[in-house]
Amino acid sequence: MSRPYIARIDGEKLHRRTFDVLVLGGGIAGLTAAISAARRWRVGLLTKAGFDDTATFLAQGGIAAALGESDSPDLHFEDTVKAGAGLCDEKAVRVLVDEGPDRVRELMEVCPHFDRVDGEIVLGREGAHSVARVVHAGGDATGSEVSSALAEAARLGSRVQLYEDEFVIDLLTLDGRCVGALSMSLDDGQLTLNTAMVTVLATGGAGQVYGRTTNPTVATGDGIAMAYRAGAAIRDLEFVQFHPTGLAVEGQETVLLITEALRGEGAYLRNEAGERFMVGKDPRAELAARDVVVRAMVAEMRREKSDHVYLDARHLDAEMLAQRFPTVSAGLAQHGLHLATDLIPVAPVCHYFIGGVMTDVWGRSTVPGLYASGECSSTGVHGANRLASNSLLEGLVFSDRVVRDLDRYIGSLGEDVRRLRFALPESAPAAQDGADAAAARRALTATMLQWAGVVRDGNGLKVAIRELRRLNSELAFGRMGVAEYETLNLLTLGTQIAKSALLREESRGVHLREDFPTRDDERWRRHITLRLPPAQREGPA
Ligand SMILES: Cc1cc2nc3c(=O)[nH]c(=O)nc-3n(C[C@H](O)[C@H](O)[C@H](O)COP(=O)(O)OP(=O)(O)OC[C@H]3O[C@@H](n4cnc5c(N)ncnc54)[C@H](O)[C@@H]3O)c2cc1C
């Protein structure tokens, strides 16, 4: 039986590398798993860019964990499940909130720059958290502090073999089991078969599906698409979180995120008329859950025929703003804007992928030998709406669990697995000239933004699916490079998002349907799971 690969190999010689554990991705999920697994196993980590080019690096607000005296895992559980709008996997949430505090304390040993006052850790308040529970570092530079510390620990203090600028094209499967991945060096185009007993997918999200996003350019959903091709179940793709406060000005490659922590410190949202439109819409006003704020913003923008509303921090202490939000302040200054003196134009922007590769509470996907952690996974902790600052925590907690499960999985394999020989199926010869990947990608992102964006309806979603099918049928690439592979992956993701969004005939969490504006628990308190048809999967179904 042959399964789909997008890798095209035109007779060139393949390099080979062999590991016990292969980790794909160098954000919080990948680095945490690799460093921990390398204490026991031979680990290789591949990433298509540097360690400072990840969503992790960009994270601002911080990491949520029940560390404060007035807090408890039970409270954190309640807040997470409430935000998740009826779709959280409560077993997974229990794991997240119970194990979170210890994982964060361990991270603090690796990353010493978490903010403290008089030796006490400072806890920030964010939307839909009932207490202050978000630890941060360098003010709003949590992501860069954490990634730099983890990358240094991997480089200097561990035996992980690191390969940056190595683009992973496809997962390798043998009799339905994942046995590694095919990668391409971005320096010289060399293809390498990386075989391993276990592969940990930690490739992050897919914000680039919408073009306008807070996500880094690497966020093209490669991991989710390759897992799907390898036969893994993917889940909840319709739940794409749009962050309420992306900077709404022209000329940004990656949209500057204005962290929720600013509203936590007391900043307001105002419409063109200067009114605080969240007051009266939700008892928590500007600190309501993200989906509630986004809905209200979209309604205001439509009513006022505007493409933004405003964030107002002018009444807050200027010194505090500069100290607590250096990243946001520097980003705004590039556009001539200042928190202490200006109204900041903001609009919802694609921010986070709740869906991904379906896993159990040990990070196991439905394909043996393939684990997933971080934003590329769907552990079920976020339900239909992620609670702010729970995603870095998810990467920490579930990567630790993946490593704890390795003994069991590797122990269950026979000796012959170490002598694995793997050959990729032959691919058809490439045409000389092919479609223009950049043009196809522009068409894809425009379609997704227009027809499958923050507010959806059935007719628009049908247009999106039709357009994406047409694009797909016209795409015959000549030479295959990163741009071509990424475009194919984005197309897979876009199509599955639109299909799932069309199926879900209700509004729930971050999924907003104009034609089905209410939540329908009777029909839809369930997940949408997608998997290749059995005839296209390899090995036992
Ligand atoms: C601007 C911004 C602010 C945020 N703020 C917060 C916050 O305050 N708190 C919070 O909890 N969450 C926050 N988030 C979300 C959070 O940062 C991410 O969900 C989390 O960092 C994801 O970590 P990850 O390890 O799964 O993926 P990432 O950190 O995105 O890393 C993905 C890795 O996979 C690699 N990769 C991808 N495809 C391939 C391929 N084909 N081949 C090889 N390598 C590949 C990439 O190069 C990268 O190394 C924020 C996100 C953004 C964008």
Side-chain angles (χ1 to χ4, degrees):
M1 209 176 291
S2 87
R3 48 150 284 217
Y5 283 94
I6 57 170
R8 188 176 304 144
I9 298 163
D10 298 328
E12 64 258 59
K13 195 165 166 12
L14 299 181
H15 271 181
R16 280 176 189 269
R17 301 185 193 117
T18 308
F19 307 103
D20 297 327
V21 179
L22 176 66
V23 178
L24 309 179
I28 194 166
L31 284 167
T32 304
I35 294 168
S36 170
R39 296 193 187 112
R40 170 102 205 258
W41 308 101
R42 246 176 339 140
V43 178
L45 182 151
L46 313 184
T47 160
K48 70 174 166 180
F51 293 108
D52 53 0
D53 196 357
T54 61
T56 301
F57 193 88
L58 295 179
Q60 295 178 356
I63 311 180
L67 293 165
E69 275 177 17
S70 56
D71 202 357
S72 68
D74 284 349
L75 256 189
H76 192 184
F77 177 90
E78 262 175 45
D79 290 345
T80 302
V81 168
K82 193 164 169 202
L87 271 197
C88 287
D89 175 336
E90 296 196 359
K91 193 169 157 209
V93 178
R94 260 281 146 228
V95 164
L96 182 84
V97 298
D98 286 349
E99 298 183 10
D102 280 348
R103 297 295 85 77
V104 172
R105 283 188 203 101
E106 286 160 16
L107 179 68
M108 286 174 176
E109 285 169 23
V110 181
C111 174
H113 296 135
F114 278 92
D115 296 327
R116 292 175 186 269
V117 170
D118 300 331
E120 289 297 311
I121 198 79
V122 181
L123 297 171
R125 179 91 191 263
E126 292 191 8
H129 288 275
S130 54
V131 294
R133 70 159 65 96
V134 179
V135 295
H136 44 82
D140 61 358
T142 309
S144 59
E145 293 287 353
V146 165
S147 353
S148 307
L150 285 173
E152 187 170 299
R155 277 206 183 92
L156 305 177
S158 83
R159 290 180 298 129
V160 183
Q161 296 180 54
L162 300 171
Y163 302 86
E164 288 171 71
D165 299 321
E166 187 82 11
F167 182 85
V168 179
I169 305 172
D170 265 316
L171 295 170
L172 311 174
T173 51
L174 203 58
D175 300 329
R177 193 164 62 80
C178 185
V179 294
L182 176 80
S183 66
M184 175 175 67
S185 160
L186 298 184
D187 292 333
D188 57 11
Q190 173 66 54
L191 294 175
T192 301
L193 277 180
N194 305 274
T195 49
M197 293 188 276
V198 169
T199 302
V200 182
L201 202 59
T203 44
Q208 294 297 331
V209 167
Y210 289 93
R212 189 174 181 279
T213 176
T214 61
N215 287 192
T217 49
V218 293
T220 50
D222 303 340
I224 303 169
M226 69 180 89
Y228 179 71
R229 289 193 293 278
I234 58 176
R235 182 173 67 177
D236 289 347
L237 283 236
E238 68 276 31
F239 294 113
V240 180
Q241 187 171 56
F242 281 71
H243 194 289
T245 50
L247 178 64
V249 298
E250 294 297 314
Q252 311 170 78
E253 188 186 353
T254 290
V255 174
L256 177 69
L257 176 79
I258 319 279
T259 172
E260 192 146 336
L262 247 161
R263 278 174 281 136
E265 293 290 347
Y268 302 141
L269 286 168
R270 295 190 187 277
N271 58 18
E272 289 281 355
E275 296 152 350
R276 280 184 65 197
F277 56 87
M278 285 308 300
V279 175
K281 295 236 165 54
D282 187 285
R284 296 161 294 183
E286 280 88 353
L287 283 177
R290 285 184 180 172
D291 57 320
V292 177
V293 178
V294 164
R295 279 178 207 227
M297 285 173 77
V298 169
E300 285 305 304
M301 285 157 58
R302 285 191 171 166
R303 201 176 53 74
E304 297 191 316
K305 299 198 175 33
S306 172
D307 63 358
H308 60 265
V309 295
Y310 293 102
L311 188 74
D312 185 3
R314 295 172 302 173
H315 54 291
L316 302 178
D317 180 60
E319 204 175 316
M320 180 281 287
L321 289 172
Q323 266 180 16
R324 174 78 176 83
F325 302 105
T327 309
V328 170
S329 300
L332 288 175
Q334 288 181 11
H335 299 276
L337 292 166
H338 303 279
L339 282 173
T341 52
D342 295 316
L343 281 172
I344 310 297
V346 290
V349 58
C350 171
H351 182 56
Y352 182 82
F353 264 71
I354 288 173
V357 178
M358 187 171 100
T359 71
D360 65 8
V361 289
W362 293 99
R364 294 181 281 215
S365 79
T366 53
V367 170
L370 179 66
Y371 290 71
S373 176
E375 195 167 335
C376 69
S377 69
S378 166
T379 58
V381 295
H382 306 305
N385 182 33
R386 173 185 69 119
L387 188 64
S389 290
N390 263 357
S391 44
L392 292 171
L393 185 70
E394 182 189 27
L396 278 178
V397 166
F398 286 91
S399 284
D400 172 75
R401 293 206 130 219
V402 164
V403 175
R404 281 198 272 146
D405 196 57
L406 290 181
D407 267 354
R408 185 204 56 77
Y409 178 73
I410 293 177
S412 73
L413 298 171
E415 258 311 295
D416 57 329
V417 78
R418 291 176 188 275
R419 294 187 292 276
L420 190 76
R421 298 303 290 171
F422 181 87
L424 266 181
E426 291 288 314
S427 47
Q432 281 302 316
D433 296 316
D436 176 353
R441 188 158 160 175
R442 278 195 300 277
L444 160 75
T445 54
T447 301
M448 291 303 291
L449 258 188
Q450 184 170 2
W451 302 115
V454 60
V455 182
R456 302 142 176 197
D457 70 47
N459 289 336
L461 289 165
K462 283 179 197 153
V463 175
I465 293 167
R466 209 167 47 236
E467 272 301 294
L468 297 177
R469 280 211 183 109
R470 186 187 58 75
L471 257 181
N472 207 11
S473 66
E474 289 171 3
L475 270 193
F477 287 128
R479 199 194 69 82
M480 292 296 286
V482 170
E484 286 73 19
Y485 288 127
E486 284 185 346
T487 303
L488 290 178
N489 289 332
L490 287 167
L491 206 46
T492 301
L493 269 268
T495 308
Q496 306 300 9
I497 291 167
K499 278 189 189 164
S500 307
L502 180 63
L503 272 177
R504 182 172 289 281
E505 294 183 332
E506 65 161 354
S507 289
R508 178 189 297 272
V510 299
H511 172 68
L512 307 180
R513 286 278 300 255
E514 261 182 330
D515 45 352
F516 294 96
T518 51
R519 178 167 147 177
D520 180 354
D521 274 349
E522 205 174 305
R523 285 179 65 213
W524 284 111
R525 193 161 182 182
R526 59 195 174 98
H527 298 273
I528 296 177
T529 304
L530 306 166
R531 207 172 171 189
L532 277 183
Q536 289 178 43
R537 281 184 236 148
E538 200 182 46

